Amino acid sequence: MTQTPKNIAIIGSGLVGSLLAIYLRKRGHKITVFDRRPDIRTIKFSGRSINLAMSNRGWKALKKVGLEDNIREIAIPMDKRAMHVNDKPLYFQKYGKEGEAIWSISRGVLNRRMIDLAEASGAVFRFNEKVWDVDLPEAKIFTGKSEKSEWKEYKFDHIFGCDGAFSRVRHKMQRRSRFDYSQDFIEVGYKELTIPPNEDGSHKLDKNSFHIWPRGKFMLIALPNIDGSFTCTLFLPFEGEVSFENITTKKEAKNFFKVHFPTVRKEIENLTEDFFDNPTSAMVTMKCFPWTYWNKVALVGDSAHAIVPFYGQGMNAGFEDIDVLDQLMDVHGDDWEAIFDAYQKSRKPNADAIAELSYRNFMEMSSKTANSKFLLQKKIEKHFAAKYPDKWIPVYSRVTFSDRPYAEALAIGDEQELIMKEVMKFPDIENKWDTEELEQLILGLLENKKAT
Amino acid sequence: MTQTPKNIAIIGSGLVGSLLAIYLRKRGHKITVFDRRPDIRTIKFSGRSINLAMSNRGWKALKKVGLEDNIREIAIPMDKRAMHVNDKPLYFQKYGKEGEAIWSISRGVLNRRMIDLAEASGAVFRFNEKVWDVDLPEAKIFTGKSEKSEWKEYKFDHIFGCDGAFSRVRHKMQRRSRFDYSQDFIEVGYKELTIPPNEDGSHKLDKNSFHIWPRGKFMLIALPNIDGSFTCTLFLPFEGEVSFENITTKKEAKNFFKVHFPTVRKEIENLTEDFFDNPTSAMVTMKCFPWTYWNKVALVGDSAHAIVPFYGQGMNAGFEDIDVLDQLMDVHGDDWEAIFDAYQKSRKPNADAIAELSYRNFMEMSSKTANSKFLLQKKIEKHFAAKYPDKWIPVYSRVTFSDRPYAEALAIGDEQELIMKEVMKFPDIENKWDTEELEQLILGLLENKKAT
């Protein structure tokens, strides 16, 4: 269904804001994008980002507006984890089936390109313009230098809040009665570090891997960039024995890496300088409802559902929001109230599901990776899934390589977990994990599930 | 331990703010209480309050500063529920043992008296003065006519945020990183109505009862006032078949009461006028952490832990906060950082527990009161508790008539629930509920619990 062209504001020029601008320009709407920050194309990146892992949902949303090939140019496929465990040789874990990969992209590089593309499509960007207030029923926004300065007023037909986890637009919705809201920080923070390219421009580590140095309560990861560098992220508790709190001098930082990351520390450029120059960032799960106000205002992406980054789905979920909105515009045309209402009802359970899955991945990472029973369970699942790919699709694959709803992945994952709980009770499981007998047990349990 | 006198601001002149002022004046501190609203002693009450049910924790906190007798004067003991079920004669349920009661107090009457008492103790009240900003590390507050007007600056040694569920002080703390926060509204709203006294000033219903007209998804309650009137509260879903949304005319309001509350509707004064004049209020569970900022700022009462009113513990929990703070001042003296830190660590689990218990009571009320299995379970528990008062103290009594931690009540309640789940599986339980056999089963299950 076509839509009557409207005058629309998007608050936030991040990845979701720029992609939404492109989608809405395709439909002929007049688009103004506001951002309180300067144009990211004119400044140095902030040094507080984890590289993105674009997977199926993200690519699907880009493809729909013809941007897939363009963005592939700045992405590097990672088809496996490279596990750097101390005192063990490096080993690899495939993410999916042959040909399946997640794609590493620098957030800054992608954001710059997306803004270029949105501008080329006719969207107008107003950088350095801070939105201080939003009149929800009138779809007005008020901008100005400061909260107490003179404000400029704009009126639109619709407003999209794409202004991230600490959204100003949501902040305004939050003041209304009966707005459900939660923000939960985890006790782990992160810091960006860099592994530069070799002198010939090549990557210092395997470039088609997501590198992980798991250390129980903390870990280091590295994702490749197209310039030959890797963006590293150190995840470490804020407080406690081994923690950001306890690394306050260059000597302590150096020693921390020497003890825990001896094999990689020499590759990390300006290790101790960056450690103290780059900020330590917090991670939050933010949930809220409703996401929309009548036919006037809608939250999209992190402003509606911020998640911890341990499933690599933040951007993918935001891009999928846009895809869903677009489908609903086809269905409901000019009935924006119907579009917004169907959008929030359809997306909310899925946003909650990916929030839960992401949080669980964090818990798993920090508590279970050293648990031999857990590793055996994962091995059995993998073995069975490889043999019966139509009977057992792992949750990771459902989330990453499919476009089925996140909520379905979570529900099926929970069923699989119950089955595996039974399976792990099997006598002498350590030696019988790949037997015909065990296989029959799993098949039986799967049949039982289906029957109930 | 004595404390060096400090200059302290309390934001909010509600029940918790005024009682805290009295406690701190006893210790010789200089106290200024700010409230954005006018002096409640000079205005008509707002018509949006549920009468308070003061129980053990509240009385204990009042007694400590010698106010128990003073406040008893304006309170009426309720030793039982009076259940008004359609097509059944009125029946009563005792709250506790002989001599145990909860006490009905009008929020407005109590608040006026508490402010009088706080003023008499030397606290200075600044009404109609809105706090717009708080400088947490400097313990400064900024007040003014509006957010954009000129502000007046005050500096204190410590600031207490007693400004309720939508606390401005907390709002400021919330903007900091790593502040956990959630607000969850329930789908039921409430509205205040009034049953006036008889012409001779006596009560129209039994004055020593908490009157309930349970109707499944909604209910009416009435609590006695000392002037012979009852404050009624109608709890009703916002939306749905029988809901506030669907009562929009006086005729519909009249009809609603005629159908669902035929026995009481004539007693309710100005029924249809009040229905539309009084606001429909929402109910929220609010949790957050931390509650304090260094040695400077602390949240007390609803600003730290707002709960739904179905356990009648909101004010009691707030008063208990003050009692705990006072105990910690004895322990830590002038070390306010230690006081604040111990306070939040001690109170947070108990605040979470009473939030959970209150929410469960709401769920119970709306879904289980008509369930015969549930009623049988309650009957068995009561029977057993009466016979073995040292082995089985019901959760309600632990919360209401003791000062043991809420978290303990919740934990023991969960254990009791597990035991009752087993008990209810007993064959022919409907007829054997008061047999020796069943009694032995419960005793055995209790022993098992202890062993594990």
Side-chain angles (χ1 to χ4, degrees):
Chain A
M1 213 186 275
T2 58
Q3 290 185 310
T4 313
K6 298 286 183 176
N7 185 20
I8 295 175
I10 294 174
I11 318 301
S13 70
L15 301 171
V16 166
S18 0
L19 183 61
L20 180 60
I22 294 165
Y23 264 75
L24 293 174
R25 281 297 303 142
K26 283 247 166 185
R27 291 182 172 271
H29 300 297
K30 188 182 164 200
I31 302 299
T32 313
V33 184
F34 292 83
D35 203 305
R36 54 172 54 219
R37 295 163 306 180
D39 187 343
I40 195 176
R41 294 169 302 183
T42 65
I43 54 161
K44 208 183 155 286
F45 300 145
S46 68
R48 57 185 305 153
S49 168
I50 302 164
N51 259 35
L52 302 161
M54 183 90 71
S55 55
N56 186 69
R57 294 165 208 269
W59 288 120
K60 191 182 162 205
L62 288 171
K63 195 173 180 176
K64 212 166 160 188
V65 281
L67 298 182
E68 192 187 10
D69 295 342
N70 189 315
I71 303 302
R72 292 264 188 210
E73 289 169 12
I74 52 170
I76 296 178
M78 303 178 290
D79 61 351
K80 58 193 173 302
R81 286 188 200 94
M83 302 296 287
H84 303 257
V85 179
N86 276 340
D87 307 323
K88 257 198 195 180
L90 175 67
Y91 66 96
F92 298 95
Q93 299 172 329
K94 278 270 185 192
Y95 274 122
K97 291 178 288 194
E98 196 54 39
E100 286 179 335
I102 58 177
W103 296 67
S104 172
I105 310 184
S106 150
R107 176 182 293 269
V109 169
L110 177 61
N111 205 159
R112 286 175 176 176
R113 185 166 291 205
M114 296 288 291
I115 293 174
D116 280 343
L117 290 163
E119 236 173 29
S121 79
V124 173
F125 283 77
R126 301 187 67 94
F127 295 103
N128 293 306
E129 191 159 349
K130 299 184 186 183
V131 173
W132 291 105
D133 199 9
V134 182
D135 180 330
L136 303 170
E138 295 291 328
K140 283 182 185 166
I141 66 167
F142 301 86
T143 68
K145 282 258 168 286
S146 78
E147 198 144 14
K148 299 199 82 172
S149 73
E150 193 85 21
W151 287 348
K152 196 169 165 186
E153 176 185 320
Y154 297 84
K155 177 147 175 56
F156 294 94
D157 297 312
H158 311 287
I159 298 171
F160 287 94
C162 306
D163 45 348
F166 303 100
S167 167
R168 194 85 191 177
V169 179
R170 187 190 67 232
H171 191 79
K172 184 71 192 191
M173 292 169 71
Q174 200 176 328
R175 291 205 204 168
R176 300 173 56 228
S177 190
R178 303 182 64 201
F179 186 81
D180 289 337
Y181 178 79
S182 72
Q183 59 183 44
D184 284 290
F185 286 86
I186 56 175
E187 64 277 20
V188 165
Y190 72 90
K191 194 179 278 290
E192 185 180 316
L193 299 165
T194 307
I195 297 175
N198 290 316
E199 271 182 30
D200 65 359
S202 61
H203 288 83
K204 286 199 174 169
L205 304 166
D206 179 73
K207 73 175 240 189
N208 294 117
S209 294
F210 185 124
H211 294 267
I212 309 185
W213 291 261
R215 299 292 183 267
K217 294 276 170 209
F218 55 100
M219 73 168 171
L220 182 73
I221 64 171
L223 283 86
N225 294 311
I226 46 168
D227 66 0
S229 68
F230 281 85
T231 301
C232 303
T233 311
L234 173 67
F235 295 95
L236 184 67
F238 283 107
E239 287 101 21
E241 204 190 321
V242 183
S243 69
F244 281 116
E245 186 190 48
N246 280 344
I247 304 176
T248 56
T249 63
K250 287 194 177 179
K251 205 182 146 190
E252 282 166 352
K254 226 170 169 170
N255 192 52
F256 168 74
F257 276 89
K258 206 168 143 183
V259 171
H260 299 292
F261 304 104
T263 56
V264 70
R265 73 187 167 109
K266 281 180 188 149
E267 322 290 2
I268 300 179
E269 198 179 29
N270 307 322
L271 179 58
T272 54
E273 280 75 17
D274 284 358
F275 192 92
F276 294 102
D277 286 351
N278 289 344
T280 304
S281 301
M283 287 169 281
V284 69
T285 301
M286 190 287 301
K287 297 179 182 178
C288 67
F289 201 79
W291 292 3
T292 64
Y293 182 89
W294 187 28
N295 62 3
K296 291 299 184 189
V297 182
L299 304 173
V300 186
D302 281 2
S303 64
H305 49 78
I307 58 180
V308 294
F310 303 97
Y311 229 113
Q313 286 294 310
M315 173 195 55
N316 289 288
F319 280 13
E320 195 172 56
D321 287 348
I322 298 172
D323 185 0
V324 168
L325 267 170
D326 189 62
Q327 291 169 37
L328 292 166
M329 289 177 188
D330 281 339
V331 175
H332 298 290
D334 283 333
D335 186 348
W336 286 76
E337 193 177 350
I339 293 165
F340 283 1
D341 195 48
Y343 159 69
Q344 65 180 1
K345 282 184 180 142
S346 142
R347 290 304 284 164
K348 173 66 175 164
N350 292 312
D352 285 348
I354 192 62
E356 174 67 21
L357 286 164
S358 303
Y359 181 73
R360 286 190 194 174
N361 254 22
F362 159 65
M363 295 298 286
E364 219 165 73
M365 171 202 102
S366 49
S367 65
K368 290 191 190 162
T369 44
N371 179 320
S372 63
K373 199 104 187 183
F374 173 76
L375 294 174
L376 175 62
Q377 179 179 325
K378 289 286 151 197
K379 192 161 75 172
I380 296 169
E381 285 178 52
K382 203 163 182 178
H383 179 75
F384 186 81
K387 197 152 175 192
Y388 299 97
D390 54 326
K391 288 193 193 292
W392 194 285
I393 302 170
V395 186
Y396 186 86
S397 295
R398 291 181 190 274
V399 168
T400 310
F401 302 123
S402 90
D403 60 0
R404 300 288 308 162
Y406 288 128
E408 182 185 285
L410 176 62
I412 293 175
D414 282 345
E415 281 176 16
Q416 289 177 344
E417 194 57 36
L418 285 177
I419 289 176
M420 289 310 296
K421 223 173 157 179
E422 287 303 307
V423 170
M424 296 305 286
K425 289 179 190 160
F426 196 75
D428 197 21
I429 180 82
E430 286 78 6
N431 296 310
K432 298 210 168 149
W433 68 273
D434 59 351
T435 56
E436 169 71 21
E437 213 180 337
L438 198 80
E439 208 172 291
Q440 289 305 321
L441 172 67
I442 304 177
L443 287 169
L445 289 166
L446 275 170
E447 278 307 309
N448 274 350
K449 276 281 158 227
K450 241 187 252 164
T452 57
Chain B
M1 213 183 276
T2 57
Q3 289 185 311
T4 313
K6 298 285 184 176
N7 186 18
I8 296 176
I10 294 174
I11 318 301
S13 70
L15 302 172
V16 167
S18 0
L19 183 61
L20 181 59
I22 294 165
Y23 265 75
L24 293 173
R25 281 296 304 141
K26 284 247 167 189
R27 291 182 172 271
H29 299 298
K30 188 181 165 203
I31 302 298
T32 314
V33 183
F34 293 84
D35 204 305
R36 53 174 51 223
R37 294 164 306 179
D39 187 343
I40 193 174
R41 295 169 301 183
T42 65
I43 53 162
K44 208 184 154 288
F45 300 146
S46 67
R48 56 184 307 154
S49 170
I50 301 164
N51 259 35
L52 301 162
M54 183 92 68
S55 56
N56 186 71
R57 294 164 207 269
W59 288 121
K60 191 182 162 206
L62 289 170
K63 195 173 183 177
K64 211 167 161 186
V65 282
L67 298 182
E68 193 187 8
D69 295 342
N70 190 314
I71 303 303
R72 293 264 188 210
E73 291 169 11
I74 53 169
I76 297 179
M78 303 177 291
D79 61 351
K80 56 194 174 303
R81 287 189 200 94
M83 302 295 288
H84 303 256
V85 179
N86 276 339
D87 308 323
K88 259 199 194 179
L90 175 67
Y91 65 96
F92 297 95
Q93 299 172 331
K94 278 269 185 194
Y95 274 123
K97 292 177 287 193
E98 197 53 39
E100 285 180 335
I102 58 177
W103 295 68
S104 174
I105 310 184
S106 149
R107 177 183 293 271
V109 170
L110 177 61
N111 205 158
R112 285 174 177 177
R113 185 165 291 208
M114 296 288 291
I115 293 173
D116 280 342
L117 290 164
E119 240 174 25
S121 79
V124 174
F125 282 76
R126 301 188 66 92
F127 295 104
N128 293 305
E129 190 159 349
K130 299 185 186 182
V131 173
W132 291 105
D133 200 8
V134 182
D135 180 329
L136 303 171
E138 295 291 327
K140 284 183 186 166
I141 66 166
F142 302 87
T143 67
K145 280 257 168 287
S146 78
E147 195 142 15
K148 300 198 84 174
S149 72
E150 194 86 19
W151 286 348
K152 195 167 163 186
E153 178 185 319
Y154 296 85
K155 177 144 175 60
F156 294 95
D157 297 314
H158 310 287
I159 298 171
F160 286 94
C162 305
D163 47 346
F166 302 100
S167 167
R168 194 83 191 178
V169 180
R170 187 190 66 231
H171 192 79
K172 184 70 191 193
M173 292 169 70
Q174 201 176 330
R175 291 205 202 166
R176 299 173 56 229
S177 190
R178 303 182 64 203
F179 186 81
D180 288 337
Y181 178 80
S182 72
Q183 59 182 46
D184 284 290
F185 286 86
I186 56 174
E187 64 277 19
V188 166
Y190 72 90
K191 193 181 281 290
E192 183 180 317
L193 299 166
T194 306
I195 297 176
N198 289 317
E199 272 181 30
D200 65 358
S202 62
H203 289 82
K204 288 202 171 164
L205 304 167
D206 179 74
K207 74 174 238 188
N208 293 118
S209 294
F210 185 124
H211 293 268
I212 309 184
W213 293 259
R215 298 293 184 265
K217 295 275 171 211
F218 56 99
M219 72 170 173
L220 182 74
I221 64 172
L223 282 87
N225 294 313
I226 46 169
D227 67 359
S229 68
F230 282 86
T231 302
C232 303
T233 311
L234 171 67
F235 295 95
L236 184 67
F238 283 106
E239 287 102 22
E241 205 188 320
V242 184
S243 68
F244 281 116
E245 186 189 50
N246 280 344
I247 305 176
T248 56
T249 64
K250 288 194 178 178
K251 205 180 144 192
E252 282 166 353
K254 227 171 169 169
N255 192 52
F256 167 75
F257 276 88
K258 206 167 142 184
V259 171
H260 298 294
F261 304 104
T263 56
V264 71
R265 74 189 166 105
K266 279 177 192 151
E267 322 291 3
I268 301 179
E269 195 178 31
N270 307 320
L271 180 59
T272 54
E273 281 72 18
D274 285 357
F275 193 92
F276 294 102
D277 286 352
N278 288 346
T280 304
S281 301
M283 286 168 282
V284 69
T285 302
M286 190 287 300
K287 297 180 183 176
C288 67
F289 202 81
W291 291 2
T292 65
Y293 181 89
W294 186 30
N295 62 2
K296 292 299 183 188
V297 183
L299 305 173
V300 186
D302 282 4
S303 65
H305 49 79
I307 60 181
V308 294
F310 303 96
Y311 229 112
Q313 285 294 311
M315 175 197 51
N316 289 289
F319 280 13
E320 195 172 56
D321 287 349
I322 297 172
D323 185 0
V324 168
L325 266 171
D326 190 60
Q327 291 169 37
L328 292 167
M329 288 177 189
D330 281 339
V331 175
H332 298 290
D334 283 334
D335 186 349
W336 287 76
E337 193 176 349
I339 294 166
F340 283 2
D341 195 48
Y343 159 69
Q344 63 179 1
K345 281 185 181 141
S346 142
R347 290 303 286 163
K348 173 64 175 165
N350 292 312
D352 286 347
I354 192 59
E356 174 67 20
L357 287 164
S358 303
Y359 181 74
R360 286 190 194 173
N361 254 21
F362 160 66
M363 295 299 287
E364 221 166 71
M365 172 203 100
S366 49
S367 65
K368 290 192 191 159
T369 43
N371 180 322
S372 63
K373 198 104 187 181
F374 173 76
L375 294 174
L376 175 61
Q377 179 179 325
K378 290 286 152 199
K379 192 161 74 173
I380 296 170
E381 285 178 51
K382 205 164 180 177
H383 180 76
F384 186 81
K387 195 151 177 192
Y388 298 96
D390 55 327
K391 287 194 192 295
W392 194 284
I393 302 169
V395 187
Y396 185 85
S397 295
R398 290 180 189 276
V399 168
T400 309
F401 302 122
S402 91
D403 60 358
R404 300 287 309 161
Y406 288 129
E408 183 186 284
L410 176 63
I412 293 175
D414 282 346
E415 279 175 17
Q416 289 176 344
E417 192 57 37
L418 285 177
I419 289 174
M420 289 309 298
K421 223 174 159 179
E422 286 305 307
V423 170
M424 295 304 287
K425 289 181 191 160
F426 196 74
D428 196 22
I429 180 84
E430 286 78 6
N431 296 311
K432 300 212 169 147
W433 68 273
D434 58 352
T435 56
E436 169 71 20
E437 212 181 338
L438 199 79
E439 209 173 289
Q440 288 304 321
L441 172 66
I442 303 178
L443 286 168
L445 288 166
L446 275 169
E447 278 307 310
N448 272 350
K449 274 282 161 231
K450 241 189 249 163
T452 57

